[in-house]
Amino acid sequence: MLVHFVTDEPTKIPAIRAMLEPQYHVAPQLLGSGDTHFNPNSVLMVDADLRKAARVEQIKLVLRDLSCIPEKLFVVQSHLHHMVAQAFALGATAVVSRPREIILKLAQIEVAEKETQTDSAVASPEIAASAAAFASMFVAIRNGKPIDLSDADNATTQIINGIAQNGLGAWLDDVRRYHEGTFQHCLLVTGVAVGFALDLRFASVDVKRLGISATLHDIGKARIPLSILDKPGRLDPGEEEIMRRHPVIGYELLKDLTGVSPEVLDGVRHHHEYLDGSGYPDGLMAPQISDLVRLLTIADIFAALVELRAYRPAMSGQSAYKILCGMDGKLEQSLVRAFRNVALVT
């Protein structure tokens, strides 16, 4: 397998060759050299300092014409969380930090290529574009810059198109294969919400409204410390308390922006509310919870159950649906019953 290695430091080239060759053929390129000849049947690996604006711009130029390369690995030290977010904003399909992770990821890609000769092993353009939009919004917030709502609109449109063309099951499988952590959850929730709306035969404007609400529902997590957000295990009580602040943070980030509807703000702030008043942050009771929020909450819980996490495997759609059915009094059971067809395709 061919690995195109793009770097800002020539001293990194011998090290990566020593690590990967002869099992993989390494084709190195220095940023700024102007050489952009790439084989689409290859893997792109980028190792550069993403804290430098000039380097980021050079990488954008390199990546501009490389949509034909499905796998884009970025080498980033795991503790440099800003660089991790920047890598995904640039279009990374995976971020690796240690030699062992690099070898493991390349091996996984090689196995996937051998197992299938179809495009099903390649992240769809809709998923890549949506993940990049999520990353762009998170990076903007962490840098104290305004959110570009066109990113949310584009991500939602891509997800709607992907599910309408290929179905929800294929979408969820691809998301779990190619993304992890916060971005995986955002992609899954929006996909599940859109799939639910399409199954209910909502008008296109209502599908988009629910989809935008799902896309933005966790935007407040961009202000949660990354040590908590990216923790590989379960959160302790103190960390959980901090995490529970994200609905209000998201609401505050969006409430003064032109173009954010009251329905979307409601979804962002209240997607963790339950009909019996046991949810947060406002302890709303059933009469105070809108239909959009009731739909979004079901999608959010289901997505959390079926996503891959470091400390547990993904739950099957059938098992996750049983949990939803057991939440009588907290979730609208007529909607849960309507959700059955959606849940069981996963």
Side-chain angles (χ1 to χ4, degrees), residues 254-290:
L254 297 173
K255 68 177 184 179
D256 296 325
L257 294 183
T258 302
V260 181
S261 70
E263 294 91 347
V264 170
L265 288 174
D266 186 27
V268 170
R269 185 177 181 103
H270 294 132
H271 61 277
H272 285 293
E273 300 285 0
Y274 291 140
L275 303 181
D276 62 2
S278 64
Y280 65 91
D282 298 317
L284 300 185
M285 299 291 291
Q288 302 166 297
I289 300 176
S290 69

PDB file of all heavy atoms in Angstrom, residues 254-290:
ATOM      1  N   LEU A 254     -25.803  30.595  20.912  1.00  0.00           N
ATOM      2  CA  LEU A 254     -26.640  30.735  19.725  1.00  0.00           C
ATOM      3  C   LEU A 254     -27.738  31.786  19.842  1.00  0.00           C
ATOM      4  O   LEU A 254     -28.249  32.256  18.817  1.00  0.00           O
ATOM      5  CB  LEU A 254     -27.304  29.391  19.400  1.00  0.00           C
ATOM      6  CG  LEU A 254     -26.386  28.224  19.035  1.00  0.00           C
ATOM      7  CD1 LEU A 254     -27.211  26.945  18.915  1.00  0.00           C
ATOM      8  CD2 LEU A 254     -25.653  28.495  17.736  1.00  0.00           C
ATOM      9  N   LYS A 255     -28.125  32.150  21.066  1.00  0.00           N
ATOM     10  CA  LYS A 255     -29.366  32.913  21.248  1.00  0.00           C
ATOM     11  C   LYS A 255     -29.367  34.273  20.560  1.00  0.00           C
ATOM     12  O   LYS A 255     -30.434  34.779  20.186  1.00  0.00           O
ATOM     13  CB  LYS A 255     -29.665  33.079  22.737  1.00  0.00           C
ATOM     14  CG  LYS A 255     -28.686  33.979  23.486  1.00  0.00           C
ATOM     15  CD  LYS A 255     -29.099  34.143  24.943  1.00  0.00           C
ATOM     16  CE  LYS A 255     -28.165  35.119  25.657  1.00  0.00           C
ATOM     17  NZ  LYS A 255     -28.559  35.302  27.066  1.00  0.00           N
ATOM     18  N   ASP A 256     -28.198  34.885  20.379  1.00  0.00           N
ATOM     19  CA  ASP A 256     -28.144  36.213  19.773  1.00  0.00           C
ATOM     20  C   ASP A 256     -27.759  36.196  18.299  1.00  0.00           C
ATOM     21  O   ASP A 256     -27.567  37.252  17.692  1.00  0.00           O
ATOM     22  CB  ASP A 256     -27.154  37.104  20.550  1.00  0.00           C
ATOM     23  CG  ASP A 256     -27.611  37.364  21.981  1.00  0.00           C
ATOM     24  OD1 ASP A 256     -28.834  37.486  22.193  1.00  0.00           O
ATOM     25  OD2 ASP A 256     -26.742  37.415  22.878  1.00  0.00           O
ATOM     26  N   LEU A 257     -27.636  34.997  17.723  1.00  0.00           N
ATOM     27  CA  LEU A 257     -27.257  34.892  16.323  1.00  0.00           C
ATOM     28  C   LEU A 257     -28.471  35.015  15.413  1.00  0.00           C
ATOM     29  O   LEU A 257     -29.499  34.361  15.640  1.00  0.00           O
ATOM     30  CB  LEU A 257     -26.551  33.559  16.052  1.00  0.00           C
ATOM     31  CG  LEU A 257     -25.194  33.335  16.710  1.00  0.00           C
ATOM     32  CD1 LEU A 257     -24.634  31.986  16.269  1.00  0.00           C
ATOM     33  CD2 LEU A 257     -24.216  34.441  16.368  1.00  0.00           C
ATOM     34  N   THR A 258     -28.361  35.812  14.402  1.00  0.00           N
ATOM     35  CA  THR A 258     -29.423  35.932  13.411  1.00  0.00           C
ATOM     36  C   THR A 258     -29.552  34.624  12.629  1.00  0.00           C
ATOM     37  O   THR A 258     -28.555  34.037  12.222  1.00  0.00           O
ATOM     38  CB  THR A 258     -29.109  37.073  12.436  1.00  0.00           C
ATOM     39  OG1 THR A 258     -28.963  38.286  13.166  1.00  0.00           O
ATOM     40  CG2 THR A 258     -30.222  37.226  11.405  1.00  0.00           C
ATOM     41  N   GLY A 259     -30.776  34.174  12.473  1.00  0.00           N
ATOM     42  CA  GLY A 259     -31.000  32.969  11.695  1.00  0.00           C
ATOM     43  C   GLY A 259     -31.228  31.719  12.516  1.00  0.00           C
ATOM     44  O   GLY A 259     -31.521  30.664  11.955  1.00  0.00           O
ATOM     45  N   VAL A 260     -31.079  31.810  13.837  1.00  0.00           N
ATOM     46  CA  VAL A 260     -31.345  30.655  14.703  1.00  0.00           C
ATOM     47  C   VAL A 260     -32.769  30.784  15.231  1.00  0.00           C
ATOM     48  O   VAL A 260     -33.083  31.720  15.972  1.00  0.00           O
ATOM     49  CB  VAL A 260     -30.349  30.568  15.870  1.00  0.00           C
ATOM     50  CG1 VAL A 260     -30.653  29.345  16.728  1.00  0.00           C
ATOM     51  CG2 VAL A 260     -28.930  30.509  15.352  1.00  0.00           C
ATOM     52  N   SER A 261     -33.631  29.869  14.858  1.00  0.00           N
ATOM     53  CA  SER A 261     -35.043  29.968  15.218  1.00  0.00           C
ATOM     54  C   SER A 261     -35.275  29.608  16.683  1.00  0.00           C
ATOM     55  O   SER A 261     -34.458  28.914  17.305  1.00  0.00           O
ATOM     56  CB  SER A 261     -35.873  29.034  14.342  1.00  0.00           C
ATOM     57  OG  SER A 261     -35.619  27.679  14.685  1.00  0.00           O
ATOM     58  N   PRO A 262     -36.396  30.056  17.253  1.00  0.00           N
ATOM     59  CA  PRO A 262     -36.730  29.669  18.635  1.00  0.00           C
ATOM     60  C   PRO A 262     -36.819  28.157  18.815  1.00  0.00           C
ATOM     61  O   PRO A 262     -36.465  27.628  19.870  1.00  0.00           O
ATOM     62  CB  PRO A 262     -38.090  30.349  18.866  1.00  0.00           C
ATOM     63  CG  PRO A 262     -38.109  31.502  17.921  1.00  0.00           C
ATOM     64  CD  PRO A 262     -37.368  31.028  16.704  1.00  0.00           C
ATOM     65  N   GLU A 263     -37.300  27.443  17.769  1.00  0.00           N
ATOM     66  CA  GLU A 263     -37.410  25.981  17.870  1.00  0.00           C
ATOM     67  C   GLU A 263     -36.040  25.334  18.014  1.00  0.00           C
ATOM     68  O   GLU A 263     -35.859  24.377  18.789  1.00  0.00           O
ATOM     69  CB  GLU A 263     -38.114  25.412  16.639  1.00  0.00           C
ATOM     70  CG  GLU A 263     -39.562  25.823  16.499  1.00  0.00           C
ATOM     71  CD  GLU A 263     -39.736  27.096  15.685  1.00  0.00           C
ATOM     72  OE1 GLU A 263     -38.732  27.797  15.438  1.00  0.00           O
ATOM     73  OE2 GLU A 263     -40.886  27.385  15.316  1.00  0.00           O
ATOM     74  N   VAL A 264     -35.058  25.851  17.286  1.00  0.00           N
ATOM     75  CA  VAL A 264     -33.704  25.312  17.376  1.00  0.00           C
ATOM     76  C   VAL A 264     -33.110  25.614  18.743  1.00  0.00           C
ATOM     77  O   VAL A 264     -32.487  24.745  19.378  1.00  0.00           O
ATOM     78  CB  VAL A 264     -32.821  25.881  16.248  1.00  0.00           C
ATOM     79  CG1 VAL A 264     -31.360  25.514  16.470  1.00  0.00           C
ATOM     80  CG2 VAL A 264     -33.290  25.357  14.897  1.00  0.00           C
ATOM     81  N   LEU A 265     -33.291  26.833  19.225  1.00  0.00           N
ATOM     82  CA  LEU A 265     -32.799  27.184  20.563  1.00  0.00           C
ATOM     83  C   LEU A 265     -33.427  26.287  21.625  1.00  0.00           C
ATOM     84  O   LEU A 265     -32.756  25.857  22.569  1.00  0.00           O
ATOM     85  CB  LEU A 265     -33.109  28.645  20.866  1.00  0.00           C
ATOM     86  CG  LEU A 265     -32.297  29.699  20.111  1.00  0.00           C
ATOM     87  CD1 LEU A 265     -32.821  31.096  20.412  1.00  0.00           C
ATOM     88  CD2 LEU A 265     -30.811  29.605  20.461  1.00  0.00           C
ATOM     89  N   ASP A 266     -34.707  26.011  21.478  1.00  0.00           N
ATOM     90  CA  ASP A 266     -35.410  25.119  22.398  1.00  0.00           C
ATOM     91  C   ASP A 266     -34.772  23.737  22.390  1.00  0.00           C
ATOM     92  O   ASP A 266     -34.528  23.133  23.446  1.00  0.00           O
ATOM     93  CB  ASP A 266     -36.880  25.048  21.971  1.00  0.00           C
ATOM     94  CG  ASP A 266     -37.743  24.270  22.949  1.00  0.00           C
ATOM     95  OD1 ASP A 266     -37.405  24.207  24.141  1.00  0.00           O
ATOM     96  OD2 ASP A 266     -38.772  23.729  22.505  1.00  0.00           O
ATOM     97  N   GLY A 267     -34.462  23.224  21.195  1.00  0.00           N
ATOM     98  CA  GLY A 267     -33.838  21.911  21.104  1.00  0.00           C
ATOM     99  C   GLY A 267     -32.457  21.871  21.724  1.00  0.00           C
ATOM    100  O   GLY A 267     -32.095  20.911  22.409  1.00  0.00           O
ATOM    101  N   VAL A 268     -31.672  22.920  21.509  1.00  0.00           N
ATOM    102  CA  VAL A 268     -30.314  22.982  22.054  1.00  0.00           C
ATOM    103  C   VAL A 268     -30.353  23.006  23.577  1.00  0.00           C
ATOM    104  O   VAL A 268     -29.585  22.297  24.248  1.00  0.00           O
ATOM    105  CB  VAL A 268     -29.570  24.210  21.498  1.00  0.00           C
ATOM    106  CG1 VAL A 268     -28.252  24.426  22.237  1.00  0.00           C
ATOM    107  CG2 VAL A 268     -29.320  24.052  20.003  1.00  0.00           C
ATOM    108  N   ARG A 269     -31.250  23.784  24.144  1.00  0.00           N
ATOM    109  CA  ARG A 269     -31.285  23.936  25.602  1.00  0.00           C
ATOM    110  C   ARG A 269     -31.958  22.756  26.305  1.00  0.00           C
ATOM    111  O   ARG A 269     -31.577  22.386  27.421  1.00  0.00           O
ATOM    112  CB  ARG A 269     -32.003  25.231  25.977  1.00  0.00           C
ATOM    113  CG  ARG A 269     -31.972  25.513  27.491  1.00  0.00           C
ATOM    114  CD  ARG A 269     -32.621  26.823  27.843  1.00  0.00           C
ATOM    115  NE  ARG A 269     -32.560  27.059  29.280  1.00  0.00           N
ATOM    116  CZ  ARG A 269     -31.712  27.891  29.875  1.00  0.00           C
ATOM    117  NH1 ARG A 269     -30.862  28.610  29.162  1.00  0.00           N
ATOM    118  NH2 ARG A 269     -31.720  28.023  31.194  1.00  0.00           N
ATOM    119  N   HIS A 270     -32.939  22.125  25.649  1.00  0.00           N
ATOM    120  CA  HIS A 270     -33.810  21.206  26.397  1.00  0.00           C
ATOM    121  C   HIS A 270     -33.760  19.751  25.949  1.00  0.00           C
ATOM    122  O   HIS A 270     -34.624  18.961  26.347  1.00  0.00           O
ATOM    123  CB  HIS A 270     -35.251  21.724  26.320  1.00  0.00           C
ATOM    124  CG  HIS A 270     -35.449  23.027  27.010  1.00  0.00           C
ATOM    125  ND1 HIS A 270     -36.111  24.100  26.432  1.00  0.00           N
ATOM    126  CD2 HIS A 270     -35.030  23.451  28.226  1.00  0.00           C
ATOM    127  CE1 HIS A 270     -36.118  25.122  27.277  1.00  0.00           C
ATOM    128  NE2 HIS A 270     -35.463  24.762  28.357  1.00  0.00           N
ATOM    129  N   HIS A 271     -32.748  19.365  25.158  1.00  0.00           N
ATOM    130  CA  HIS A 271     -32.748  17.980  24.662  1.00  0.00           C
ATOM    131  C   HIS A 271     -32.460  16.945  25.741  1.00  0.00           C
ATOM    132  O   HIS A 271     -32.547  15.739  25.480  1.00  0.00           O
ATOM    133  CB  HIS A 271     -31.761  17.815  23.498  1.00  0.00           C
ATOM    134  CG  HIS A 271     -30.334  18.120  23.836  1.00  0.00           C
ATOM    135  ND1 HIS A 271     -29.822  19.392  23.834  1.00  0.00           N
ATOM    136  CD2 HIS A 271     -29.305  17.302  24.193  1.00  0.00           C
ATOM    137  CE1 HIS A 271     -28.537  19.353  24.150  1.00  0.00           C
ATOM    138  NE2 HIS A 271     -28.200  18.093  24.376  1.00  0.00           N
ATOM    139  N   HIS A 272     -32.121  17.389  26.964  1.00  0.00           N
ATOM    140  CA  HIS A 272     -31.942  16.453  28.084  1.00  0.00           C
ATOM    141  C   HIS A 272     -33.084  16.558  29.096  1.00  0.00           C
ATOM    142  O   HIS A 272     -32.951  16.065  30.223  1.00  0.00           O
ATOM    143  CB  HIS A 272     -30.603  16.690  28.777  1.00  0.00           C
ATOM    144  CG  HIS A 272     -29.426  16.171  28.008  1.00  0.00           C
ATOM    145  ND1 HIS A 272     -29.199  14.830  27.795  1.00  0.00           N
ATOM    146  CD2 HIS A 272     -28.410  16.823  27.377  1.00  0.00           C
ATOM    147  CE1 HIS A 272     -28.100  14.673  27.076  1.00  0.00           C
ATOM    148  NE2 HIS A 272     -27.606  15.860  26.808  1.00  0.00           N
ATOM    149  N   GLU A 273     -34.193  17.175  28.721  1.00  0.00           N
ATOM    150  CA  GLU A 273     -35.359  17.247  29.602  1.00  0.00           C
ATOM    151  C   GLU A 273     -36.221  15.998  29.432  1.00  0.00           C
ATOM    152  O   GLU A 273     -36.294  15.424  28.336  1.00  0.00           O
ATOM    153  CB  GLU A 273     -36.189  18.494  29.271  1.00  0.00           C
ATOM    154  CG  GLU A 273     -35.447  19.814  29.432  1.00  0.00           C
ATOM    155  CD  GLU A 273     -35.245  20.240  30.876  1.00  0.00           C
ATOM    156  OE1 GLU A 273     -35.685  19.507  31.794  1.00  0.00           O
ATOM    157  OE2 GLU A 273     -34.640  21.312  31.083  1.00  0.00           O
ATOM    158  N   TYR A 274     -36.874  15.584  30.528  1.00  0.00           N
ATOM    159  CA  TYR A 274     -37.765  14.426  30.512  1.00  0.00           C
ATOM    160  C   TYR A 274     -39.183  14.846  30.892  1.00  0.00           C
ATOM    161  O   TYR A 274     -39.380  15.813  31.636  1.00  0.00           O
ATOM    162  CB  TYR A 274     -37.283  13.345  31.476  1.00  0.00           C
ATOM    163  CG  TYR A 274     -36.012  12.651  31.058  1.00  0.00           C
ATOM    164  CD1 TYR A 274     -35.033  12.327  31.997  1.00  0.00           C
ATOM    165  CD2 TYR A 274     -35.794  12.291  29.734  1.00  0.00           C
ATOM    166  CE1 TYR A 274     -33.863  11.676  31.623  1.00  0.00           C
ATOM    167  CE2 TYR A 274     -34.637  11.639  29.353  1.00  0.00           C
ATOM    168  CZ  TYR A 274     -33.668  11.334  30.305  1.00  0.00           C
ATOM    169  OH  TYR A 274     -32.522  10.694  29.923  1.00  0.00           O
ATOM    170  N   LEU A 275     -40.169  14.098  30.437  1.00  0.00           N
ATOM    171  CA  LEU A 275     -41.565  14.446  30.677  1.00  0.00           C
ATOM    172  C   LEU A 275     -41.918  14.492  32.155  1.00  0.00           C
ATOM    173  O   LEU A 275     -42.830  15.223  32.559  1.00  0.00           O
ATOM    174  CB  LEU A 275     -42.484  13.451  29.964  1.00  0.00           C
ATOM    175  CG  LEU A 275     -42.311  13.299  28.444  1.00  0.00           C
ATOM    176  CD1 LEU A 275     -43.311  12.288  27.906  1.00  0.00           C
ATOM    177  CD2 LEU A 275     -42.457  14.637  27.737  1.00  0.00           C
ATOM    178  N   ASP A 276     -41.215  13.701  32.982  1.00  0.00           N
ATOM    179  CA  ASP A 276     -41.538  13.649  34.416  1.00  0.00           C
ATOM    180  C   ASP A 276     -40.815  14.717  35.229  1.00  0.00           C
ATOM    181  O   ASP A 276     -40.902  14.727  36.460  1.00  0.00           O
ATOM    182  CB  ASP A 276     -41.238  12.264  34.988  1.00  0.00           C
ATOM    183  CG  ASP A 276     -39.758  11.888  34.882  1.00  0.00           C
ATOM    184  OD1 ASP A 276     -38.951  12.712  34.410  1.00  0.00           O
ATOM    185  OD2 ASP A 276     -39.405  10.753  35.266  1.00  0.00           O
ATOM    186  N   GLY A 277     -40.079  15.613  34.557  1.00  0.00           N
ATOM    187  CA  GLY A 277     -39.400  16.697  35.267  1.00  0.00           C
ATOM    188  C   GLY A 277     -38.036  16.340  35.817  1.00  0.00           C
ATOM    189  O   GLY A 277     -37.402  17.165  36.484  1.00  0.00           O
ATOM    190  N   SER A 278     -37.537  15.141  35.521  1.00  0.00           N
ATOM    191  CA  SER A 278     -36.259  14.702  36.086  1.00  0.00           C
ATOM    192  C   SER A 278     -35.057  15.079  35.229  1.00  0.00           C
ATOM    193  O   SER A 278     -33.923  14.753  35.578  1.00  0.00           O
ATOM    194  CB  SER A 278     -36.274  13.182  36.297  1.00  0.00           C
ATOM    195  OG  SER A 278     -36.397  12.503  35.049  1.00  0.00           O
ATOM    196  N   GLY A 279     -35.279  15.765  34.114  1.00  0.00           N
ATOM    197  CA  GLY A 279     -34.177  16.124  33.234  1.00  0.00           C
ATOM    198  C   GLY A 279     -33.515  17.427  33.625  1.00  0.00           C
ATOM    199  O   GLY A 279     -33.786  18.006  34.687  1.00  0.00           O
ATOM    200  N   TYR A 280     -32.627  17.909  32.765  1.00  0.00           N
ATOM    201  CA  TYR A 280     -31.910  19.154  33.024  1.00  0.00           C
ATOM    202  C   TYR A 280     -31.784  19.932  31.718  1.00  0.00           C
ATOM    203  O   TYR A 280     -31.984  19.375  30.649  1.00  0.00           O
ATOM    204  CB  TYR A 280     -30.528  18.848  33.632  1.00  0.00           C
ATOM    205  CG  TYR A 280     -29.567  18.103  32.729  1.00  0.00           C
ATOM    206  CD1 TYR A 280     -28.683  18.784  31.885  1.00  0.00           C
ATOM    207  CD2 TYR A 280     -29.538  16.703  32.702  1.00  0.00           C
ATOM    208  CE1 TYR A 280     -27.799  18.099  31.053  1.00  0.00           C
ATOM    209  CE2 TYR A 280     -28.662  16.006  31.879  1.00  0.00           C
ATOM    210  CZ  TYR A 280     -27.792  16.716  31.054  1.00  0.00           C
ATOM    211  OH  TYR A 280     -26.921  16.035  30.235  1.00  0.00           O
ATOM    212  N   PRO A 281     -31.531  21.249  31.766  1.00  0.00           N
ATOM    213  CA  PRO A 281     -31.123  22.066  32.920  1.00  0.00           C
ATOM    214  C   PRO A 281     -32.278  22.730  33.658  1.00  0.00           C
ATOM    215  O   PRO A 281     -32.078  23.273  34.746  1.00  0.00           O
ATOM    216  CB  PRO A 281     -30.257  23.144  32.263  1.00  0.00           C
ATOM    217  CG  PRO A 281     -30.900  23.360  30.929  1.00  0.00           C
ATOM    218  CD  PRO A 281     -31.374  21.995  30.489  1.00  0.00           C
ATOM    219  N   ASP A 282     -33.504  22.693  33.115  1.00  0.00           N
ATOM    220  CA  ASP A 282     -34.594  23.481  33.679  1.00  0.00           C
ATOM    221  C   ASP A 282     -35.671  22.652  34.370  1.00  0.00           C
ATOM    222  O   ASP A 282     -36.642  23.217  34.876  1.00  0.00           O
ATOM    223  CB  ASP A 282     -35.238  24.341  32.580  1.00  0.00           C
ATOM    224  CG  ASP A 282     -34.256  25.336  31.979  1.00  0.00           C
ATOM    225  OD1 ASP A 282     -33.502  25.955  32.749  1.00  0.00           O
ATOM    226  OD2 ASP A 282     -34.224  25.468  30.734  1.00  0.00           O
ATOM    227  N   GLY A 283     -35.511  21.334  34.395  1.00  0.00           N
ATOM    228  CA  GLY A 283     -36.497  20.484  35.063  1.00  0.00           C
ATOM    229  C   GLY A 283     -37.896  20.652  34.506  1.00  0.00           C
ATOM    230  O   GLY A 283     -38.879  20.650  35.245  1.00  0.00           O
ATOM    231  N   LEU A 284     -38.021  20.753  33.183  1.00  0.00           N
ATOM    232  CA  LEU A 284     -39.328  20.955  32.562  1.00  0.00           C
ATOM    233  C   LEU A 284     -40.223  19.737  32.764  1.00  0.00           C
ATOM    234  O   LEU A 284     -39.754  18.603  32.843  1.00  0.00           O
ATOM    235  CB  LEU A 284     -39.168  21.219  31.063  1.00  0.00           C
ATOM    236  CG  LEU A 284     -38.343  22.433  30.638  1.00  0.00           C
ATOM    237  CD1 LEU A 284     -38.402  22.580  29.119  1.00  0.00           C
ATOM    238  CD2 LEU A 284     -38.816  23.711  31.322  1.00  0.00           C
ATOM    239  N   MET A 285     -41.531  19.990  32.818  1.00  0.00           N
ATOM    240  CA  MET A 285     -42.527  18.919  32.856  1.00  0.00           C
ATOM    241  C   MET A 285     -43.154  18.779  31.472  1.00  0.00           C
ATOM    242  O   MET A 285     -43.001  19.638  30.602  1.00  0.00           O
ATOM    243  CB  MET A 285     -43.600  19.237  33.905  1.00  0.00           C
ATOM    244  CG  MET A 285     -43.065  19.361  35.325  1.00  0.00           C
ATOM    245  SD  MET A 285     -42.504  17.788  36.013  1.00  0.00           S
ATOM    246  CE  MET A 285     -44.073  16.927  36.202  1.00  0.00           C
ATOM    247  N   ALA A 286     -43.918  17.707  31.282  1.00  0.00           N
ATOM    248  CA  ALA A 286     -44.451  17.359  29.964  1.00  0.00           C
ATOM    249  C   ALA A 286     -45.109  18.529  29.218  1.00  0.00           C
ATOM    250  O   ALA A 286     -44.809  18.740  28.031  1.00  0.00           O
ATOM    251  CB  ALA A 286     -45.434  16.195  30.099  1.00  0.00           C
ATOM    252  N   PRO A 287     -46.007  19.304  29.853  1.00  0.00           N
ATOM    253  CA  PRO A 287     -46.670  20.367  29.082  1.00  0.00           C
ATOM    254  C   PRO A 287     -45.712  21.431  28.556  1.00  0.00           C
ATOM    255  O   PRO A 287     -46.052  22.161  27.616  1.00  0.00           O
ATOM    256  CB  PRO A 287     -47.642  20.983  30.110  1.00  0.00           C
ATOM    257  CG  PRO A 287     -47.823  19.929  31.146  1.00  0.00           C
ATOM    258  CD  PRO A 287     -46.500  19.230  31.227  1.00  0.00           C
ATOM    259  N   GLN A 288     -44.521  21.526  29.128  1.00  0.00           N
ATOM    260  CA  GLN A 288     -43.558  22.554  28.741  1.00  0.00           C
ATOM    261  C   GLN A 288     -42.582  22.070  27.656  1.00  0.00           C
ATOM    262  O   GLN A 288     -41.779  22.863  27.166  1.00  0.00           O
ATOM    263  CB  GLN A 288     -42.755  22.999  29.975  1.00  0.00           C
ATOM    264  CG  GLN A 288     -43.605  23.544  31.113  1.00  0.00           C
ATOM    265  CD  GLN A 288     -42.815  23.639  32.405  1.00  0.00           C
ATOM    266  OE1 GLN A 288     -42.361  22.639  32.958  1.00  0.00           O
ATOM    267  NE2 GLN A 288     -42.631  24.856  32.881  1.00  0.00           N
ATOM    268  N   ILE A 289     -42.652  20.808  27.302  1.00  0.00           N
ATOM    269  CA  ILE A 289     -41.676  20.229  26.373  1.00  0.00           C
ATOM    270  C   ILE A 289     -42.312  20.102  24.989  1.00  0.00           C
ATOM    271  O   ILE A 289     -43.324  19.424  24.816  1.00  0.00           O
ATOM    272  CB  ILE A 289     -41.188  18.860  26.876  1.00  0.00           C
ATOM    273  CG1 ILE A 289     -40.522  19.019  28.255  1.00  0.00           C
ATOM    274  CG2 ILE A 289     -40.206  18.245  25.885  1.00  0.00           C
ATOM    275  CD1 ILE A 289     -40.080  17.712  28.883  1.00  0.00           C
ATOM    276  N   SER A 290     -41.701  20.744  24.004  1.00  0.00           N
ATOM    277  CA  SER A 290     -42.247  20.772  22.651  1.00  0.00           C
ATOM    278  C   SER A 290     -42.102  19.424  21.955  1.00  0.00           C
ATOM    279  O   SER A 290     -41.308  18.569  22.353  1.00  0.00           O
ATOM    280  CB  SER A 290     -41.544  21.856  21.836  1.00  0.00           C
ATOM    281  OG  SER A 290     -40.195  21.475  21.588  1.00  0.00           O
TER     282      SER A 290
END
